[in-house]
Amino acid sequence: MLRDIQDCFISEKEVEHIHAMSLRVLSEIGVAFEHEEVLEVFRKNGARVDGDKVFLSEAMVNDALKTVPRNFEVYGRNGSVFIGPDREDPFPVMANSAGLVTYIETDDTVHKANVYDAIKYHKLTQTSEVLQMSKASSIDYPGLGNDKENKILKQYAIQLKYSDKPIASALRTNPHNVGTGRIKDGVLASYDLVKRYYDIWDKYVVLEVVCPLSPLSNNYECLENVLGAAAGNQPITICTCSMTNVTSPPTLLGTIIQDNASILAMTVLIQLLNPGNPIIYNSLSAPSDMRSVQLSIGASESFLLSMATLGMARFYNMPARTIGAYSDAIDVDYQAGAESMLTGMAPILGRSDQLTHAIGTMGSFNYGSFEKFVLDEEVLLYLKRVQQGINFSEGRECFDLMKEVGPRGSYIQRRTPKAYREEHYLSKLFHRKGSGITMREQVGTLRSRAAAEVERRLEEYKLPETTKAQDAILNEVLVNLDYDI
Amino acid sequence: MLRDIQDCFISEKEVEHIHAMSLRVLSEIGVAFEHEEVLEVFRKNGARVDGDKVFLSEAMVNDALKTVPRNFEVYGRNGSVFIGPDREDPFPVMANSAGLVTYIETDDTVHKANVYDAIKYHKLTQTSEVLQMSKASSIDYPGLGNDKENKILKQYAIQLKYSDKPIASALRTNPHNVGTGRIKDGVLASYDLVKRYYDIWDKYVVLEVVCPLSPLSNNYECLENVLGAAAGNQPITICTCSMTNVTSPPTLLGTIIQDNASILAMTVLIQLLNPGNPIIYNSLSAPSDMRSVQLSIGASESFLLSMATLGMARFYNMPARTIGAYSDAIDVDYQAGAESMLTGMAPILGRSDQLTHAIGTMGSFNYGSFEKFVLDEEVLLYLKRVQQGINFSEGRECFDLMKEVGPRGSYIQRRTPKAYREEHYLSKLFHRKGSGITMREQVGTLRSRAAAEVERRLEEYKLPETTKAQDAILNEVLVNLDYDI
């Protein structure tokens, strides 16, 4: 690709205008931070604070932006991922979806999330050629023990057991899963578990995510997570998720400006707490469909909002995260395919640096599907090929071959050339065997092929090897569970 | 949109290189024209002819390009469509798919094309808000009478009866459907029928399409159609459809060069026959999947080839036609949605001027589906919204509203503003009602909603009004049919 797709949708002038308007929001409207310790940090550093509203100057924003690193590296048990615009491979570093409350089985029944769904997603992630990071697909499902225990720690332990890929966290620590202690300490306990398990002490080991609320506010729980991540010196994705006309203005531009102001305010806080702390710029904001007042993550406007996210992140010189293969469909159907391709195109052709919820999500973030997981992989591999573009290098003209074959000749008589194999992505699951009238009976449905692929992957899956010390660490945490894992 | 998506994939330098290489193909390799009358035209105008191979100089190509109009207008019974880069609306002028040999019914049975399928497509096209042109979806199905009759004429009559939208022809005249006369005369008889029916005599009334064969050749049948269209002074789409590594080189670049040479050679012929005859630059070339040696119209490489088609057409200052919502799927499934969105994105974000096969095609051009027809409309309307981009005009920042609502406020208490309605496309068929665990039972499947929409459209459909003279013209042609229409 010659240039990123967002160049088709947002100009430098427009990016600058959004920045200027965001500065006005920060100085004239302010952002709420519902946490006294945080307000004190702002006060100490010269911000005007009125109640829990913080007003920020351009100088404070500029100072913060100066210390945000352009790239960083997150370590797993067996390797690391490099995240940022200087990454050589333009295909984003991706993790599976998270926050799924319901799963659709192959037989089309639906059920509330449980530990086995989460484990199946870990196994599919571990065996995925498109995902380089692991993420907990559901959180706080039943059976994790009594309320006095730190249940987040157990969920980290499950993730560590089933995948050795670097962790993109979706395990938001909250008053209901942290046990008896403070949220911030629960966050730090999680990092400590991961570091002990890896025996890695001086690297980034958890890509954290925090979600400012829209409009322009941050609650106590979110800020405790921020304080934990900054104290633990782990990279933080700042993820806004506004709904147009509900929690953000009715226009896309207004939504972009409000989100950008939120992200900048959080950036200032993080850099004040821990200068140089890596940050990923991220908005998952999406349009509301006002007929049902539902978030429409697979919509056209979702794509457009991502174009702005990429434009702003590039302007600030920060790594970008955007939407992935999203859909509002509640079946593995035509809509799921169409919307996943549309929303997957934004980050791949926009060369986003990192994605979570990249695959396996539908129903406006609520539904998981094992078949959609592997079908979304296919969509991303299609898009990877599109991202590679046309090979214009010398020799690819095939002039001599064209002359040899000549008018009316055939190219097929010879061995399939290397150039063909290099330039063609041959799909794994999508049908390409032709269209005779009996073909449908011969090949079965796409859904059944996807289910077979899921089955194959789960059968081939092997638990990552562990040391005795690692087993001991997990066994210490994985107690009082209502199920065998 | 600020710029067209092909700018991300092909540069001016690369376009110039393709042009230069194509000139080498035309002068060194030549293009076969299997028609003595055509060869004589080339000879008379100074081209070197060797057997049936024609060699063209740069000067002859440049002369031809000078007389190709940048835009043109095709008339129907009740209005016209303007085609070309100067068209105000960036959404392409589109027609439905053609050449379908098999249809999938709502109950998932498949059958060979018949007249009623063709009529259903005409009715859906007539009631479509995204299609502005009408096209025969199948051709030469059984029951059109005996072989001595001009069956093409009957198919034109059916199209005229069921739709009043301007005609994008898919009715290729050939020795088996033209009756006893010459193909060229059969083509002219068709135009005469349309002109009489419209009572329009001095306008373009049929957007014709001709298909050079790959590699680099044109058979007698194709050239008879060209002679007919040029003699009848109707606009001609030059449509190559190569299969990589089968009928074109194994590389995309080689395929693009070979197709471009074919299109230029045909352009020269048409401009020699009828200087100023409108032409649309079009390639539907696609990758082959060498595992099955099948054309893969929904593939990533299909998208990339379209980027080059758009780049070349713009370079030559000719109207462009590209792929539409294509798929190799043989079910109305996730693959059908994903591939249709991918391939639909090329022309919409590349601002192609015209499309045929825009909607309702799958199974590598062979399968039709009434439900896919209306679902593809949804995909194109999604893409239309993406094409509109983000509205950056003054006031869309909603700064005052943001101030009024403030941190933690809500935007939902007021009436849904006009700006929201202007900036959001609310899908008609795709699910957006949320994701509760019982939602699937409440809303039914997407396929069933699409089937209901097809049913509704067919019920609401009304035959275009006719005069007695028009009825008489059709009655004269529509004889000896094996069915009631």
Side-chain angles (χ1 to χ4, degrees), chain A residues 15-49:
Chain A
V15 163
E16 282 164 10
H17 180 59
I18 291 165
H19 175 64
M21 290 301 296
S22 306
L23 290 178
R24 276 193 63 194
V25 172
L26 291 174
S27 65
E28 294 179 39
I29 303 177
V31 177
F33 287 86
E34 301 171 1
H35 197 301
E36 185 44 41
E37 202 176 313
V38 165
L39 292 172
E40 190 52 30
V41 170
F42 278 119
R43 267 187 222 107
K44 263 195 191 160
N45 285 277
R48 180 161 73 87
V49 176

Side-chain angles (χ1 to χ4, degrees), chain A residues 66-86:
Chain A
K66 271 180 215 152
T67 55
V68 179
R70 189 171 148 87
N71 310 282
F72 61 92
E73 211 161 346
V74 182
Y75 284 74
R77 202 191 325 174
N78 296 313
S80 64
V81 287
F82 182 93
I83 296 173
D86 298 328

Side-chain angles (χ1 to χ4, degrees), chain B residues 66-86:
Chain B
K66 269 180 218 152
T67 55
V68 179
R70 192 171 146 85
N71 310 282
F72 62 92
E73 212 160 344
V74 183
Y75 284 74
R77 204 190 325 174
N78 297 314
S80 65
V81 287
F82 181 93
I83 297 172
D86 298 328

